[in-house]
Amino acid sequence: MADADLDVVIRQLARQLHTGLMTRAKERRDRFNGLAAKAKGKETSDRFKMMAKATLEQATAAAKRLQMSADNVADSYARAMRLAASTPVAAKVERTAKEKPVKKTAKAKKAKAKKAK
């Protein structure tokens, strides 16, 4: 994994999070369905069934958003790395002592000010 590109790692982590999220959601759905089976009244049973269905729907929507975000981030990273690899590096220009600007003395500044008047 040390040599892997980060976009691949991002996708793998998202996949792991997706499976973990869906596993927990299914466990919670099964728990609510179990409570619905044990419920005394029809109204209570229906409420637990509705909660089980809503739990799975919400978890599925969250997992899709998570996967979409991870894909966007991974694509963006890969695109940025391709762009960085294709951009030429500008050579650093070294300045010599001759190229340094000459500082003006106080006398030169005064003379320039007099000419401007």
Side-chain angles (χ1 to χ4, degrees):
M1 202 163 178
D3 293 317
D5 263 345
L6 285 180
D7 60 325
V8 175
V9 173
I10 291 168
R11 291 178 203 279
Q12 287 175 348
L13 290 174
R15 199 173 309 121
Q16 290 173 356
L17 289 173
H18 181 272
T19 56
L21 177 64
M22 291 310 295
T23 302
R24 298 297 184 267
K26 288 176 183 176
E27 288 173 0
R28 177 144 311 183
R29 178 198 60 188
D30 294 342
R31 180 176 170 270
F32 284 135
N33 281 333
L35 290 172
K38 292 179 185 178
K40 303 270 187 210
K42 178 170 174 36
E43 190 176 300
T44 308
S45 176
D46 289 343
R47 188 175 69 232
F48 280 127
K49 286 180 183 179
M50 186 179 67
M51 287 172 64
K53 184 178 177 183
T55 298
L56 200 58
E57 286 176 357
Q58 293 295 324
T60 302
K64 283 181 183 178
R65 287 192 303 270
L66 176 72
Q67 189 67 41
M68 192 180 314
S69 295
D71 285 340
N72 288 341
V73 168
D75 290 342
S76 177
Y77 175 79
R79 187 172 40 255
M81 289 299 106
R82 280 194 306 272
L83 183 68
S86 68
T87 305
V89 178
K92 190 174 183 180
V93 178
E94 299 210 13
R95 295 169 56 166
T96 62
K98 293 179 183 177
E99 293 177 351
K100 289 185 181 180
V102 178
K103 292 184 180 180
K104 294 183 179 180
T105 62
K107 289 182 183 179
K109 288 181 184 177
K110 286 181 184 177
K112 188 176 181 181
K114 284 183 182 178
K115 287 181 183 177
K117 288 183 181 180

